[in-house]
Amino acid sequence: MRESDDDQTNARRLFPFAPRSDGGKRAPARKPLRKGFWWGTATAAHQIEGNNTNSDFWLAENVKPTLFQEPSLDACDSYHRYEEDIILAAKLGFNAHRFGIEWARIEPEPGKFSEAELDHYVRVMEACHAHGLAPVVTYSHWTVPRWFAAMGGFEHADSPALFARFAERATAKLGPLMAAASTFNEANIARVIQIRQEAKAIEPLVRAMLAACAKASGSDRFASVLFADLAKSEANQVRAHELAFDAIKAGPGDFPVGVTISMQDIQGVGEGNKADEIAQAVYGPWIAQAAKADFVGVQTYTRVRVDAKGIMPPPKGAELTAAGYEFYPEALEATIRYAAKMTGKPIYVTENGIGTDDDSRRIAYIDRALAGVRACIDDGIDVRGYLHWSLLDNYEWVFGYKQRFGLVAVDRTTFKRTPKPSALHLGARAKANRV
Ligand code: BGC
């Protein structure tokens, strides 16, 4: 469905994917968006719930050697404090809430499903509905049950059927409460990691960590979604997505199902640049999968410039975020255009954000990213929501608690939540329904 109330020209409607010719100048926020545009935040089970002890990551965080700077432990204790989080999000002005259901909790042993854990997520979703938030569910945000990793994860031939079985069981109970769902978070994440310059340097430690996990599990293997051997895992993961997609669509419940993709604005620099090659390496089969789903979840943080030699470092003097990448909120507009052009599907921005301890930079980032969303909508691209990463300062995977992406600070001892100015800023824009 397209925005119908905008004063755009027919020409732009015909060529919505072309870069704008206004030299980047943006009109100030205009008319509100159509009703039902989703405003909110995105979270992930392992990063906020705490004590996800049956997951592969929990083990990897706690073996020696490990790549993880610190273990997740209690995270934000959202497993117990989910209602407080949901009420906070609603009070800020949001109307949608992206979160993950944790496979490791729901299926603690192969084929054994925990009704009590499923009931937990029923309560989470009921709280969302009670407070006016549309529950946007991620079935798999990188973590898997420890038993699944120890049998080889998605490198195992049975993995598609096992993931689909989990999706079917979870949907049977939770489907009626969902507003939208995605199978995998950033299905292409292993590809993204593998093209990074640091990939080679960390490889020996990753191998040693996974070997320690295998040993601790009494297995000869241990496979992680992040560090998978794509030659063995990718076809299985694609099949797992397809089977899970069908299982979720079979219901109960009637809601859009998509897949989210880690997308960077891949910019070619100079003649003979390898931008297309890098795009192929980053996205692999996942754009085609998204084109078959109900929507694409665009997850964008920065740009990547590519010359004839490959990926370039950020420009000299560029502002870097705490995560080490370039502060470049305009990347979102480019990736929305790219996703729309390549898939023809509706877009939800399912993640976009910045790791920083300077909250004024988060506000600037949000405003510039939203200007790009507006430009896309003005051009007739079907963008249906903006879910900021993240609600809380949470467990940032291998970087532990040192990188802060939250609109809301979390005291590491008392778990007290304190909204930052950026939370109120984005909340105000959500209330006004203006990008
Ligand atoms: C992931 C999140 C992560 C965020 C910030 C995304 O790629 O989906 O889990 O915390 O980036 O690094």
Side-chain angles (χ1 to χ4, degrees):
M1 251 159 290
R2 292 190 164 174
E3 185 72 350
S4 58
D5 58 355
D6 289 311
D7 53 350
Q8 53 195 310
T9 63
N10 287 335
R12 291 293 314 163
R13 275 204 180 280
L14 283 174
F15 303 105
F17 310 117
R20 293 174 71 81
S21 55
D22 61 4
K25 274 179 251 120
R26 304 280 180 230
R30 284 166 284 174
K31 293 176 199 159
L33 297 172
R34 70 156 183 247
K35 264 189 149 180
F37 185 87
W38 279 348
W39 291 92
T41 55
T43 61
H46 188 73
Q47 291 177 273
I48 61 166
E49 287 182 347
N51 297 295
N52 188 16
T53 55
N54 194 42
S55 70
D56 61 332
F57 270 62
W58 181 274
L59 181 59
E61 290 159 18
N62 289 290
V63 290
K64 276 197 179 108
T66 180
L67 187 62
F68 291 82
Q69 290 181 13
E70 57 185 321
S72 53
L73 286 170
D74 292 324
C76 303
D77 194 30
S78 292
Y79 186 81
H80 300 109
R81 294 165 203 261
Y82 65 88
E83 192 166 16
E84 183 184 341
D85 294 343
I86 287 165
I87 290 172
L88 179 55
K91 277 197 183 143
L92 287 170
F94 301 139
N95 61 4
H97 185 61
R98 178 172 179 244
F99 65 96
I101 54 173
E102 185 56 62
W103 184 9
R105 293 187 196 275
I106 294 172
E107 192 179 355
E109 295 294 335
K112 306 272 188 326
F113 290 84
S114 165
E115 293 303 327
E117 295 291 0
L118 284 164
D119 285 343
H120 168 79
Y121 292 112
V122 166
R123 288 192 291 275
V124 171
M125 280 193 268
E126 283 174 349
C128 286
H129 287 292
H131 297 284
L133 299 181
V136 179
V137 173
T138 311
Y139 277 70
S140 173
H141 197 126
W142 300 353
T143 43
V144 298
R146 184 172 156 169
W147 59 260
F148 182 79
M151 60 172 258
F154 288 103
E155 293 170 16
H156 196 287
D158 292 346
S159 57
L162 292 174
F163 184 65
R165 181 176 67 180
F166 155 65
E168 189 192 324
R169 289 295 292 260
T171 309
K173 197 154 202 175
L174 308 175
L177 291 163
M178 292 186 196
S182 59
T183 53
F184 289 112
N185 175 70
E186 298 189 344
N188 59 328
I189 188 62
R191 284 179 167 270
V192 173
I193 291 173
Q194 285 175 20
I195 62 153
R196 287 170 78 141
Q197 251 124 31
E198 315 87 273
K200 277 262 156 308
I202 61 167
E203 207 182 294
L205 179 53
V206 168
R207 278 201 194 158
M209 175 181 76
L210 295 177
C213 290
K215 193 168 169 217
S217 306
S219 174
D220 61 350
R221 65 196 71 180
F222 198 88
S224 153
V225 168
L226 288 198
F227 310 111
D229 178 349
L230 284 170
K232 294 186 192 151
S233 71
E234 193 166 59
N236 287 333
Q237 207 183 336
V238 166
R239 191 69 195 130
H241 159 76
E242 290 173 337
L243 294 178
F245 180 87
D246 290 346
I248 302 167
K249 289 303 283 183
D254 183 15
F255 48 87
V257 182
V259 59
T260 83
I261 304 186
S262 170
M263 303 190 78
Q264 286 148 342
D265 176 9
I266 301 171
Q267 301 181 349
V269 177
E271 230 167 83
N273 70 68
K274 293 185 171 160
D276 288 344
E277 213 175 291
I278 293 291
Q280 177 51 38
V282 166
Y283 300 128
W286 292 105
I287 297 278
Q289 284 303 322
K292 291 193 270 174
D294 296 334
F295 70 88
V296 197
V298 169
Q299 309 203 163
T300 297
Y301 290 84
T302 190
R303 70 170 166 178
V304 169
R305 298 179 319 134
V306 181
D307 65 11
K309 286 194 229 122
I311 294 177
M312 303 163 70
K316 265 212 176 95
E319 177 181 350
L320 301 183
T321 68
Y325 45 66
E326 187 183 353
F327 179 96
Y328 192 77
E330 288 70 26
L332 183 60
E333 175 177 349
T335 54
I336 292 173
R337 289 182 191 280
Y338 182 82
K341 180 173 125 190
M342 301 299 285
T343 68
K345 291 291 168 165
I347 308 273
Y348 289 95
V349 177
T350 40
E351 282 185 29
N352 175 247
I354 170 179
T356 181
D357 285 338
D358 178 352
D359 196 52
S360 69
R361 298 313 290 150
R362 192 178 334 275
I363 291 175
Y365 187 96
I366 288 171
D367 283 346
R368 280 164 57 179
L370 287 179
V373 173
R374 179 81 218 192
C376 291
I377 291 172
D378 282 353
D379 288 345
I381 297 178
D382 187 2
V383 188
R384 299 184 176 187
Y386 176 84
L387 305 177
H388 188 79
W389 184 271
S390 187
L391 180 64
L392 307 171
D393 282 341
N394 61 26
Y395 182 64
E396 186 49 37
W397 307 110
V398 297
F399 303 108
Y401 293 100
K402 289 177 200 84
Q403 282 184 21
R404 297 180 189 88
F405 282 80
L407 297 171
V408 175
V410 177
D411 184 289
R412 297 256 20 94
T413 313
T414 63
F415 304 107
K416 185 173 183 306
R417 275 79 166 133
T418 308
K420 304 175 190 176
S422 57
L424 307 178
H425 183 79
L426 184 60
R429 302 203 56 173
K431 284 181 194 157
N433 197 24
R434 281 173 205 276
V435 288

